[in-house]
Amino acid sequence: MADTEFGSCEMTAGEGSRQEARLSSGFAVRVVWVDMTDACAGRLKDVSQSGARIVVEGGEKARGDVYVLAHLQGEAEPRRLVAKVRWQVGDTLGVRFDAPIDLPLVHALARVERASAH
């Protein structure tokens, strides 16, 4: 584990595991089921180009495809990241984005933890 200007960074490698860095976060998001049957508030625990760990409020049972909505500072509309729920343990779920997100967005989502830590 290494510290970067955006927070702690964890790198995993090996067969079947993520190849890019995961950055710690505390960014508030909204998880919305793509069929619009349910939604819940959450907070990113960490984020990478391929996915994220999200702690959801109320321990909602997530399933299948979801939108992860993130309101970035200075943007009028939230970013909508299409993802698939890969696993859930209690109130923490792991999602894999349908398409990799760019590094500036990963860093924007990770910046919050540093700002709120002071």
Side-chain angles (χ1 to χ4, degrees):
M1 178 121 49
D3 284 333
T4 69
E5 80 177 278
F6 301 108
S8 62
C9 173
E10 215 175 288
M11 195 67 151
T12 57
E15 194 164 324
S17 63
R18 151 186 328 98
Q19 296 299 311
E20 63 273 334
R22 289 183 286 176
L23 299 180
S24 294
S25 182
F27 202 95
V29 295
R30 186 129 184 98
V31 179
V32 179
W33 284 242
V34 295
D35 63 5
M36 302 298 179
T37 59
D38 210 349
C40 62
R43 193 161 291 277
L44 293 177
K45 190 170 180 120
D46 61 44
V47 62
S48 72
Q49 286 185 283
S50 62
R53 271 192 305 168
I54 305 170
V55 177
V56 292
E57 294 180 9
E60 293 288 332
K61 181 67 177 156
R63 63 206 172 274
D65 297 325
V66 295
Y67 298 125
V68 178
L69 304 178
H71 282 273
L72 296 173
Q73 187 174 8
E75 293 187 2
E77 297 293 321
R79 293 281 183 109
R80 184 176 72 175
L81 306 172
V82 181
K84 181 175 295 304
V85 176
R86 305 289 289 185
W87 57 267
Q88 182 169 4
V89 176
D91 62 354
T92 303
L93 55 102
V95 299
R96 180 164 188 81
F97 301 130
D98 280 5
I101 61 175
D102 60 10
L103 278 175
L105 178 54
V106 172
H107 290 164
L109 294 170
R111 251 187 209 119
V112 167
E113 183 184 52
R114 292 293 268 199
S116 64
H118 298 295

